[in-house]
Amino acid sequence: AATDGPTLLAQAVGDVAEVFLARAPGERRDPLSWPITQVVLARAGEGICDLWSLGDSAAYLRDADGRVTVLDAVPDLRDAETREVADLFARTGATTQTVRTTPLFRERWAERRRRQLSGAEPPVLSLDPAFAGRAAHLRCPYSPGAHLLLATDG
């Protein structure tokens, strides 16, 4: 069994990819159409918490004394996405129900997907096990009685 984050992620992704591709219709075999997600994996032991993060994910560590530490590999991503969405609505005049049908949305989505798959954007978890090696690794000390909340935008 895997003991480090990237190896464990790659192993899980390989298992999911095998099942997905065995059942996927032909049009879903193009890597641009594969499902993607964010993930944060944690391992705690001996007073150190190791986190591996892909995409828009974070962890919140609350120590026994009540102090909260945010562990986030891409802290500016949410602000950038908010600006991009505001621009998209302003330029298209779309509503939340129609924005996904606009050519500008589809164009931006395809371009972002290409950047994610190429590694030019914060990486996401895809069906390609190689993506696991792109996970950001964060470490944080913790004390007995601490709590860890793992969160993704997915």
Short mmCIF file of all heavy atoms in Angstrom, two decimals, residues 5-72:
data_model
loop_
_atom_site.label_atom_id
_atom_site.label_comp_id
_atom_site.label_asym_id
_atom_site.label_seq_id
_atom_site.Cartn_x
_atom_site.Cartn_y
_atom_site.Cartn_z
N GLY A 5 1.73 10.78 -0.16
CA GLY A 5 0.57 11.38 -0.81
C GLY A 5 0.50 11.20 -2.31
O GLY A 5 -0.49 10.69 -2.83
N PRO A 6 1.54 11.59 -3.06
CA PRO A 6 1.45 11.46 -4.51
C PRO A 6 1.24 10.02 -4.98
O PRO A 6 0.48 9.77 -5.91
CB PRO A 6 2.79 12.03 -5.00
CG PRO A 6 3.16 13.02 -3.95
CD PRO A 6 2.71 12.39 -2.65
N THR A 7 1.91 9.07 -4.33
CA THR A 7 1.74 7.67 -4.72
C THR A 7 0.32 7.19 -4.43
O THR A 7 -0.30 6.51 -5.25
CB THR A 7 2.78 6.78 -4.01
OG1 THR A 7 4.08 7.26 -4.33
CG2 THR A 7 2.65 5.33 -4.44
N LEU A 8 -0.22 7.57 -3.26
CA LEU A 8 -1.58 7.19 -2.91
C LEU A 8 -2.59 7.82 -3.88
O LEU A 8 -3.50 7.15 -4.37
CB LEU A 8 -1.90 7.60 -1.48
CG LEU A 8 -3.29 7.22 -0.97
CD1 LEU A 8 -3.52 5.72 -1.04
CD2 LEU A 8 -3.47 7.72 0.46
N LEU A 9 -2.39 9.11 -4.20
CA LEU A 9 -3.28 9.76 -5.18
C LEU A 9 -3.20 9.08 -6.54
O LEU A 9 -4.23 8.83 -7.17
CB LEU A 9 -2.92 11.24 -5.32
CG LEU A 9 -3.33 12.17 -4.19
CD1 LEU A 9 -2.73 13.57 -4.42
CD2 LEU A 9 -4.83 12.25 -4.06
N ALA A 10 -1.98 8.78 -6.99
CA ALA A 10 -1.82 8.14 -8.30
C ALA A 10 -2.49 6.77 -8.32
O ALA A 10 -3.13 6.39 -9.31
CB ALA A 10 -0.34 8.01 -8.65
N GLN A 11 -2.36 6.04 -7.24
CA GLN A 11 -2.98 4.72 -7.14
C GLN A 11 -4.51 4.82 -7.22
O GLN A 11 -5.16 4.09 -7.96
CB GLN A 11 -2.55 4.08 -5.82
CG GLN A 11 -2.81 2.63 -5.69
CD GLN A 11 -2.17 2.11 -4.40
OE1 GLN A 11 -2.30 2.71 -3.33
NE2 GLN A 11 -1.46 1.01 -4.51
N ALA A 12 -5.08 5.76 -6.47
CA ALA A 12 -6.54 5.95 -6.48
C ALA A 12 -7.02 6.42 -7.85
O ALA A 12 -8.03 5.93 -8.37
CB ALA A 12 -6.94 6.96 -5.40
N VAL A 13 -6.28 7.35 -8.46
CA VAL A 13 -6.67 7.86 -9.78
C VAL A 13 -6.60 6.74 -10.82
O VAL A 13 -7.49 6.61 -11.67
CB VAL A 13 -5.77 9.04 -10.19
CG1 VAL A 13 -5.95 9.38 -11.66
CG2 VAL A 13 -6.08 10.25 -9.33
N GLY A 14 -5.57 5.92 -10.75
CA GLY A 14 -5.47 4.80 -11.68
C GLY A 14 -6.66 3.86 -11.57
O GLY A 14 -7.20 3.41 -12.59
N ASP A 15 -7.09 3.59 -10.34
CA ASP A 15 -8.26 2.72 -10.14
C ASP A 15 -9.52 3.35 -10.72
O ASP A 15 -10.32 2.69 -11.39
CB ASP A 15 -8.46 2.43 -8.65
CG ASP A 15 -7.35 1.58 -8.06
OD1 ASP A 15 -6.57 0.99 -8.82
OD2 ASP A 15 -7.28 1.52 -6.80
N VAL A 16 -9.72 4.66 -10.46
CA VAL A 16 -10.91 5.36 -10.97
C VAL A 16 -10.87 5.43 -12.49
O VAL A 16 -11.88 5.20 -13.16
CB VAL A 16 -11.01 6.78 -10.36
CG1 VAL A 16 -12.07 7.61 -11.05
CG2 VAL A 16 -11.29 6.69 -8.86
N ALA A 17 -9.71 5.72 -13.06
CA ALA A 17 -9.58 5.82 -14.52
C ALA A 17 -9.93 4.50 -15.19
O ALA A 17 -10.62 4.48 -16.22
CB ALA A 17 -8.15 6.24 -14.89
N GLU A 18 -9.47 3.40 -14.61
CA GLU A 18 -9.76 2.09 -15.18
C GLU A 18 -11.27 1.84 -15.25
O GLU A 18 -11.79 1.41 -16.28
CB GLU A 18 -9.08 1.02 -14.32
CG GLU A 18 -9.20 -0.39 -14.86
CD GLU A 18 -8.47 -1.38 -13.98
OE1 GLU A 18 -7.37 -1.04 -13.46
OE2 GLU A 18 -8.99 -2.49 -13.81
N VAL A 19 -11.97 2.15 -14.18
CA VAL A 19 -13.43 1.95 -14.15
C VAL A 19 -14.12 2.92 -15.11
O VAL A 19 -14.99 2.52 -15.89
CB VAL A 19 -13.97 2.13 -12.71
CG1 VAL A 19 -15.49 2.15 -12.70
CG2 VAL A 19 -13.44 1.04 -11.81
N PHE A 20 -13.71 4.20 -15.09
CA PHE A 20 -14.34 5.21 -15.95
C PHE A 20 -14.17 4.85 -17.42
O PHE A 20 -15.13 4.84 -18.19
CB PHE A 20 -13.76 6.60 -15.67
CG PHE A 20 -14.28 7.66 -16.59
CD1 PHE A 20 -15.50 8.26 -16.36
CD2 PHE A 20 -13.55 8.05 -17.70
CE1 PHE A 20 -16.00 9.24 -17.21
CE2 PHE A 20 -14.03 9.03 -18.56
CZ PHE A 20 -15.26 9.62 -18.32
N LEU A 21 -12.94 4.58 -17.82
CA LEU A 21 -12.67 4.32 -19.23
C LEU A 21 -13.28 3.01 -19.72
O LEU A 21 -13.61 2.88 -20.89
CB LEU A 21 -11.17 4.37 -19.50
CG LEU A 21 -10.56 5.76 -19.32
CD1 LEU A 21 -9.04 5.70 -19.41
CD2 LEU A 21 -11.12 6.75 -20.31
N ALA A 22 -13.48 2.06 -18.83
CA ALA A 22 -14.13 0.80 -19.21
C ALA A 22 -15.61 1.01 -19.55
O ALA A 22 -16.19 0.27 -20.34
CB ALA A 22 -14.00 -0.22 -18.09
N ARG A 23 -16.20 2.04 -18.98
CA ARG A 23 -17.64 2.29 -19.16
C ARG A 23 -17.96 3.53 -19.98
O ARG A 23 -19.12 3.74 -20.33
CB ARG A 23 -18.31 2.41 -17.80
CG ARG A 23 -18.21 1.13 -17.01
CD ARG A 23 -18.90 1.24 -15.69
NE ARG A 23 -18.81 -0.05 -15.00
CZ ARG A 23 -18.77 -0.19 -13.71
NH1 ARG A 23 -18.83 0.86 -12.93
NH2 ARG A 23 -18.69 -1.39 -13.18
N ALA A 24 -16.97 4.36 -20.26
CA ALA A 24 -17.22 5.65 -20.92
C ALA A 24 -17.56 5.47 -22.38
O ALA A 24 -16.93 4.67 -23.08
CB ALA A 24 -15.99 6.53 -20.79
N PRO A 25 -18.55 6.24 -22.87
CA PRO A 25 -18.81 6.23 -24.31
C PRO A 25 -17.63 6.85 -25.06
O PRO A 25 -16.81 7.54 -24.47
CB PRO A 25 -20.08 7.09 -24.45
CG PRO A 25 -20.18 7.87 -23.19
CD PRO A 25 -19.43 7.13 -22.13
N GLY A 26 -17.56 6.60 -26.34
CA GLY A 26 -16.43 7.05 -27.16
C GLY A 26 -16.09 8.52 -27.03
O GLY A 26 -14.92 8.88 -26.95
N GLU A 27 -17.10 9.38 -26.98
CA GLU A 27 -16.84 10.82 -26.91
C GLU A 27 -16.20 11.24 -25.59
O GLU A 27 -15.63 12.31 -25.48
CB GLU A 27 -18.11 11.64 -27.17
CG GLU A 27 -19.19 11.54 -26.09
CD GLU A 27 -20.16 10.39 -26.30
OE1 GLU A 27 -19.93 9.53 -27.18
OE2 GLU A 27 -21.16 10.33 -25.57
N ARG A 28 -16.27 10.41 -24.57
CA ARG A 28 -15.66 10.74 -23.27
C ARG A 28 -14.24 10.20 -23.16
O ARG A 28 -13.61 10.33 -22.12
CB ARG A 28 -16.50 10.18 -22.11
CG ARG A 28 -17.86 10.81 -21.92
CD ARG A 28 -17.84 12.32 -21.68
NE ARG A 28 -16.99 12.80 -20.62
CZ ARG A 28 -17.35 12.97 -19.35
NH1 ARG A 28 -18.56 12.66 -18.95
NH2 ARG A 28 -16.50 13.45 -18.47
N ARG A 29 -13.72 9.63 -24.23
CA ARG A 29 -12.36 9.11 -24.17
C ARG A 29 -11.31 10.19 -24.44
O ARG A 29 -10.13 9.98 -24.22
CB ARG A 29 -12.20 7.95 -25.13
CG ARG A 29 -13.08 6.80 -24.69
CD ARG A 29 -12.83 5.53 -25.45
NE ARG A 29 -13.72 4.50 -24.94
CZ ARG A 29 -13.49 3.78 -23.85
NH1 ARG A 29 -12.41 3.98 -23.15
NH2 ARG A 29 -14.34 2.86 -23.46
N ASP A 30 -11.75 11.35 -24.92
CA ASP A 30 -10.86 12.49 -25.12
C ASP A 30 -10.49 13.06 -23.74
O ASP A 30 -11.38 13.38 -22.96
CB ASP A 30 -11.58 13.55 -25.95
CG ASP A 30 -10.78 14.82 -26.14
OD1 ASP A 30 -9.67 14.95 -25.58
OD2 ASP A 30 -11.28 15.71 -26.84
N PRO A 31 -9.18 13.19 -23.43
CA PRO A 31 -8.81 13.70 -22.11
C PRO A 31 -9.44 15.04 -21.75
O PRO A 31 -9.66 15.32 -20.58
CB PRO A 31 -7.28 13.81 -22.20
CG PRO A 31 -6.90 12.78 -23.20
CD PRO A 31 -8.03 12.77 -24.21
N LEU A 32 -9.77 15.89 -22.75
CA LEU A 32 -10.42 17.16 -22.44
C LEU A 32 -11.82 16.96 -21.87
O LEU A 32 -12.38 17.86 -21.25
CB LEU A 32 -10.50 18.07 -23.67
CG LEU A 32 -9.22 18.78 -24.04
CD1 LEU A 32 -9.43 19.61 -25.31
CD2 LEU A 32 -8.73 19.67 -22.91
N SER A 33 -12.41 15.80 -22.08
CA SER A 33 -13.76 15.55 -21.57
C SER A 33 -13.76 14.73 -20.28
O SER A 33 -14.81 14.46 -19.72
CB SER A 33 -14.61 14.83 -22.63
OG SER A 33 -14.22 13.47 -22.73
N TRP A 34 -12.59 14.34 -19.80
CA TRP A 34 -12.53 13.54 -18.59
C TRP A 34 -12.97 14.36 -17.38
O TRP A 34 -12.76 15.57 -17.33
CB TRP A 34 -11.13 13.04 -18.35
CG TRP A 34 -10.68 11.97 -19.28
CD1 TRP A 34 -11.41 11.37 -20.26
CD2 TRP A 34 -9.39 11.38 -19.35
NE1 TRP A 34 -10.66 10.44 -20.92
CE2 TRP A 34 -9.41 10.42 -20.38
CE3 TRP A 34 -8.22 11.57 -18.64
CZ2 TRP A 34 -8.30 9.66 -20.71
CZ3 TRP A 34 -7.11 10.81 -18.96
CH2 TRP A 34 -7.16 9.86 -19.98
N PRO A 35 -13.54 13.70 -16.39
CA PRO A 35 -13.90 14.44 -15.18
C PRO A 35 -12.65 14.95 -14.47
O PRO A 35 -11.59 14.33 -14.53
CB PRO A 35 -14.61 13.39 -14.31
CG PRO A 35 -14.46 12.10 -14.97
CD PRO A 35 -13.87 12.29 -16.33
N ILE A 36 -12.78 16.10 -13.85
CA ILE A 36 -11.70 16.66 -13.04
C ILE A 36 -12.30 17.08 -11.70
O ILE A 36 -13.50 17.27 -11.58
CB ILE A 36 -11.00 17.86 -13.70
CG1 ILE A 36 -11.98 18.99 -13.98
CG2 ILE A 36 -10.27 17.44 -14.96
CD1 ILE A 36 -11.33 20.28 -14.43
N THR A 37 -11.46 17.21 -10.72
CA THR A 37 -11.94 17.64 -9.42
C THR A 37 -10.78 18.22 -8.63
O THR A 37 -9.65 18.24 -9.09
CB THR A 37 -12.58 16.46 -8.65
OG1 THR A 37 -13.25 16.95 -7.49
CG2 THR A 37 -11.55 15.42 -8.25
N GLN A 38 -11.08 18.70 -7.46
CA GLN A 38 -10.06 19.15 -6.52
C GLN A 38 -9.97 18.08 -5.44
O GLN A 38 -10.92 17.36 -5.19
CB GLN A 38 -10.46 20.48 -5.87
CG GLN A 38 -10.65 21.62 -6.83
CD GLN A 38 -12.00 21.62 -7.50
OE1 GLN A 38 -12.98 21.14 -6.97
NE2 GLN A 38 -12.06 22.18 -8.69
N VAL A 39 -8.84 18.04 -4.80
CA VAL A 39 -8.68 17.06 -3.72
C VAL A 39 -7.65 17.58 -2.73
O VAL A 39 -6.71 18.30 -3.10
CB VAL A 39 -8.25 15.68 -4.28
CG1 VAL A 39 -6.87 15.71 -4.86
CG2 VAL A 39 -8.36 14.60 -3.22
N VAL A 40 -7.86 17.25 -1.49
CA VAL A 40 -6.84 17.48 -0.47
C VAL A 40 -6.76 16.20 0.36
O VAL A 40 -7.77 15.65 0.79
CB VAL A 40 -7.12 18.74 0.39
CG1 VAL A 40 -8.42 18.64 1.13
CG2 VAL A 40 -5.97 19.02 1.34
N LEU A 41 -5.57 15.70 0.47
CA LEU A 41 -5.30 14.47 1.20
C LEU A 41 -4.46 14.83 2.41
O LEU A 41 -3.51 15.61 2.31
CB LEU A 41 -4.51 13.52 0.28
CG LEU A 41 -3.97 12.23 0.87
CD1 LEU A 41 -5.12 11.28 1.18
CD2 LEU A 41 -3.00 11.58 -0.10
N ALA A 42 -4.81 14.28 3.56
CA ALA A 42 -4.08 14.60 4.79
C ALA A 42 -3.58 13.34 5.47
O ALA A 42 -4.22 12.30 5.43
CB ALA A 42 -4.99 15.36 5.75
N ARG A 43 -2.41 13.49 6.08
CA ARG A 43 -1.85 12.43 6.92
C ARG A 43 -1.28 13.12 8.16
O ARG A 43 -0.44 14.02 8.05
CB ARG A 43 -0.75 11.68 6.18
CG ARG A 43 -0.14 10.58 7.07
CD ARG A 43 0.96 9.81 6.38
NE ARG A 43 2.05 10.72 6.05
CZ ARG A 43 2.94 10.50 5.10
NH1 ARG A 43 2.85 9.42 4.36
NH2 ARG A 43 3.90 11.35 4.86
N ALA A 44 -1.75 12.71 9.31
CA ALA A 44 -1.30 13.31 10.57
C ALA A 44 -0.57 12.26 11.39
O ALA A 44 -1.00 11.11 11.46
CB ALA A 44 -2.48 13.87 11.34
N GLY A 45 0.52 12.67 11.99
CA GLY A 45 1.26 11.76 12.85
C GLY A 45 2.40 12.47 13.53
O GLY A 45 3.04 13.35 12.94
N GLU A 46 2.65 12.13 14.77
CA GLU A 46 3.77 12.66 15.54
C GLU A 46 3.84 14.19 15.52
O GLU A 46 4.91 14.77 15.38
CB GLU A 46 5.08 12.04 15.06
CG GLU A 46 5.10 10.53 15.23
CD GLU A 46 6.42 9.91 14.88
OE1 GLU A 46 7.45 10.59 14.95
OE2 GLU A 46 6.42 8.71 14.52
N GLY A 47 2.68 14.84 15.63
CA GLY A 47 2.65 16.30 15.75
C GLY A 47 2.80 17.07 14.45
O GLY A 47 2.87 18.29 14.47
N ILE A 48 2.85 16.37 13.32
CA ILE A 48 2.96 17.03 12.01
C ILE A 48 1.83 16.54 11.12
O ILE A 48 1.57 15.35 11.03
CB ILE A 48 4.31 16.72 11.32
CG1 ILE A 48 5.48 17.28 12.13
CG2 ILE A 48 4.35 17.25 9.89
CD1 ILE A 48 5.57 18.79 12.13
N CYS A 49 1.18 17.49 10.47
CA CYS A 49 0.14 17.17 9.50
C CYS A 49 0.70 17.46 8.10
O CYS A 49 1.14 18.57 7.82
CB CYS A 49 -1.10 18.03 9.76
SG CYS A 49 -2.45 17.66 8.63
N ASP A 50 0.72 16.43 7.26
CA ASP A 50 1.12 16.57 5.86
C ASP A 50 -0.14 16.64 5.02
O ASP A 50 -1.06 15.85 5.21
CB ASP A 50 1.94 15.36 5.42
CG ASP A 50 3.35 15.39 5.95
OD1 ASP A 50 4.11 16.27 5.52
OD2 ASP A 50 3.68 14.53 6.79
N LEU A 51 -0.16 17.60 4.09
CA LEU A 51 -1.29 17.75 3.18
C LEU A 51 -0.78 17.76 1.76
O LEU A 51 0.25 18.36 1.47
CB LEU A 51 -2.03 19.06 3.44
CG LEU A 51 -2.67 19.20 4.80
CD1 LEU A 51 -2.87 20.65 5.14
CD2 LEU A 51 -3.99 18.48 4.79
N TRP A 52 -1.52 17.10 0.88
CA TRP A 52 -1.26 17.17 -0.55
C TRP A 52 -2.51 17.73 -1.19
O TRP A 52 -3.62 17.22 -0.96
CB TRP A 52 -0.92 15.79 -1.11
CG TRP A 52 0.40 15.30 -0.62
CD1 TRP A 52 1.62 15.52 -1.21
CD2 TRP A 52 0.66 14.53 0.55
NE1 TRP A 52 2.61 14.93 -0.47
CE2 TRP A 52 2.04 14.31 0.61
CE3 TRP A 52 -0.16 14.00 1.55
CZ2 TRP A 52 2.64 13.59 1.63
CZ3 TRP A 52 0.44 13.28 2.58
CH2 TRP A 52 1.81 13.08 2.61
N SER A 53 -2.36 18.79 -1.95
CA SER A 53 -3.51 19.52 -2.47
C SER A 53 -3.41 19.69 -3.97
O SER A 53 -2.37 20.04 -4.51
CB SER A 53 -3.56 20.90 -1.79
OG SER A 53 -4.58 21.68 -2.32
N LEU A 54 -4.54 19.43 -4.64
CA LEU A 54 -4.66 19.69 -6.08
C LEU A 54 -5.90 20.55 -6.29
O LEU A 54 -6.98 20.23 -5.79
CB LEU A 54 -4.83 18.39 -6.85
CG LEU A 54 -3.57 17.57 -7.09
CD1 LEU A 54 -3.92 16.17 -7.53
CD2 LEU A 54 -2.69 18.25 -8.12
N GLY A 55 -5.74 21.64 -7.03
CA GLY A 55 -6.88 22.49 -7.36
C GLY A 55 -7.26 23.40 -6.21
O GLY A 55 -6.47 23.71 -5.33
N ASP A 56 -8.49 23.83 -6.24
CA ASP A 56 -9.03 24.80 -5.29
C ASP A 56 -9.48 24.07 -4.04
O ASP A 56 -10.66 23.89 -3.79
CB ASP A 56 -10.19 25.55 -5.95
CG ASP A 56 -10.66 26.73 -5.12
OD1 ASP A 56 -10.04 27.03 -4.10
OD2 ASP A 56 -11.67 27.34 -5.51
N SER A 57 -8.52 23.64 -3.25
CA SER A 57 -8.83 22.93 -2.02
C SER A 57 -7.99 23.52 -0.90
O SER A 57 -6.96 24.13 -1.13
CB SER A 57 -8.56 21.43 -2.17
OG SER A 57 -7.23 21.20 -2.55
N ALA A 58 -8.47 23.35 0.32
CA ALA A 58 -7.77 23.90 1.47
C ALA A 58 -8.08 23.03 2.68
O ALA A 58 -8.97 22.18 2.65
CB ALA A 58 -8.23 25.34 1.73
N ALA A 59 -7.34 23.27 3.72
CA ALA A 59 -7.60 22.59 4.98
C ALA A 59 -7.56 23.65 6.08
O ALA A 59 -6.83 24.64 5.98
CB ALA A 59 -6.56 21.52 5.24
N TYR A 60 -8.36 23.44 7.09
CA TYR A 60 -8.43 24.33 8.24
C TYR A 60 -8.06 23.52 9.47
O TYR A 60 -8.74 22.56 9.81
CB TYR A 60 -9.83 24.92 8.38
CG TYR A 60 -10.26 25.67 7.15
CD1 TYR A 60 -10.90 25.01 6.10
CD2 TYR A 60 -9.99 27.03 7.02
CE1 TYR A 60 -11.27 25.71 4.95
CE2 TYR A 60 -10.35 27.71 5.88
CZ TYR A 60 -10.99 27.04 4.85
OH TYR A 60 -11.35 27.72 3.72
N LEU A 61 -6.97 23.90 10.11
CA LEU A 61 -6.48 23.20 11.29
C LEU A 61 -6.80 24.05 12.51
O LEU A 61 -6.34 25.18 12.64
CB LEU A 61 -4.98 22.97 11.17
CG LEU A 61 -4.32 22.25 12.34
CD1 LEU A 61 -4.79 20.79 12.40
CD2 LEU A 61 -2.81 22.32 12.21
N ARG A 62 -7.63 23.49 13.40
CA ARG A 62 -7.97 24.18 14.64
C ARG A 62 -7.24 23.47 15.77
O ARG A 62 -7.51 22.32 16.06
CB ARG A 62 -9.47 24.15 14.91
CG ARG A 62 -9.85 24.90 16.16
CD ARG A 62 -11.37 24.85 16.37
NE ARG A 62 -11.77 25.57 17.54
CZ ARG A 62 -11.83 25.02 18.77
NH1 ARG A 62 -11.52 23.76 18.94
NH2 ARG A 62 -12.20 25.75 19.79
N ASP A 63 -6.26 24.18 16.35
CA ASP A 63 -5.50 23.60 17.45
C ASP A 63 -6.35 23.55 18.71
O ASP A 63 -7.40 24.20 18.81
CB ASP A 63 -4.25 24.45 17.72
CG ASP A 63 -2.99 23.79 17.19
OD1 ASP A 63 -2.98 22.55 17.08
OD2 ASP A 63 -2.03 24.51 16.90
N ALA A 64 -5.90 22.80 19.68
CA ALA A 64 -6.62 22.64 20.95
C ALA A 64 -6.83 23.98 21.64
O ALA A 64 -7.81 24.15 22.38
CB ALA A 64 -5.87 21.67 21.86
N ASP A 65 -5.96 24.95 21.40
CA ASP A 65 -6.10 26.27 22.02
C ASP A 65 -7.07 27.18 21.26
O ASP A 65 -7.28 28.33 21.65
CB ASP A 65 -4.74 26.95 22.17
CG ASP A 65 -4.08 27.28 20.84
OD1 ASP A 65 -4.68 27.04 19.77
OD2 ASP A 65 -2.94 27.78 20.85
N GLY A 66 -7.68 26.68 20.17
CA GLY A 66 -8.66 27.45 19.40
C GLY A 66 -8.09 28.21 18.22
O GLY A 66 -8.84 28.77 17.42
N ARG A 67 -6.78 28.25 18.08
CA ARG A 67 -6.16 28.95 16.95
C ARG A 67 -6.43 28.17 15.66
O ARG A 67 -6.31 26.95 15.63
CB ARG A 67 -4.65 29.07 17.18
CG ARG A 67 -3.90 29.82 16.10
CD ARG A 67 -2.43 29.99 16.48
NE ARG A 67 -1.81 28.73 16.89
CZ ARG A 67 -1.11 27.93 16.07
NH1 ARG A 67 -0.95 28.27 14.81
NH2 ARG A 67 -0.59 26.81 16.51
N VAL A 68 -6.81 28.89 14.59
CA VAL A 68 -7.10 28.25 13.31
C VAL A 68 -6.04 28.66 12.30
O VAL A 68 -5.73 29.84 12.14
CB VAL A 68 -8.51 28.65 12.79
CG1 VAL A 68 -8.74 28.08 11.39
CG2 VAL A 68 -9.58 28.17 13.75
N THR A 69 -5.49 27.66 11.62
CA THR A 69 -4.51 27.89 10.56
C THR A 69 -5.14 27.42 9.25
O THR A 69 -5.68 26.32 9.17
CB THR A 69 -3.22 27.08 10.82
OG1 THR A 69 -2.70 27.46 12.09
CG2 THR A 69 -2.20 27.32 9.74
N VAL A 70 -5.10 28.28 8.24
CA VAL A 70 -5.60 27.92 6.92
C VAL A 70 -4.42 27.43 6.10
O VAL A 70 -3.41 28.12 5.95
CB VAL A 70 -6.27 29.12 6.22
CG1 VAL A 70 -6.77 28.72 4.84
CG2 VAL A 70 -7.40 29.68 7.07
N LEU A 71 -4.55 26.24 5.57
CA LEU A 71 -3.52 25.64 4.72
C LEU A 71 -4.07 25.61 3.31
O LEU A 71 -4.96 24.84 3.00
CB LEU A 71 -3.18 24.23 5.22
CG LEU A 71 -2.73 24.18 6.68
CD1 LEU A 71 -2.86 22.79 7.24
CD2 LEU A 71 -1.32 24.69 6.80
N ASP A 72 -3.56 26.48 2.47
CA ASP A 72 -4.11 26.68 1.13
C ASP A 72 -2.97 26.85 0.14
O ASP A 72 -2.18 27.79 0.26
CB ASP A 72 -5.01 27.92 1.14
CG ASP A 72 -5.79 28.13 -0.13
OD1 ASP A 72 -5.58 27.38 -1.11
OD2 ASP A 72 -6.61 29.05 -0.15
#
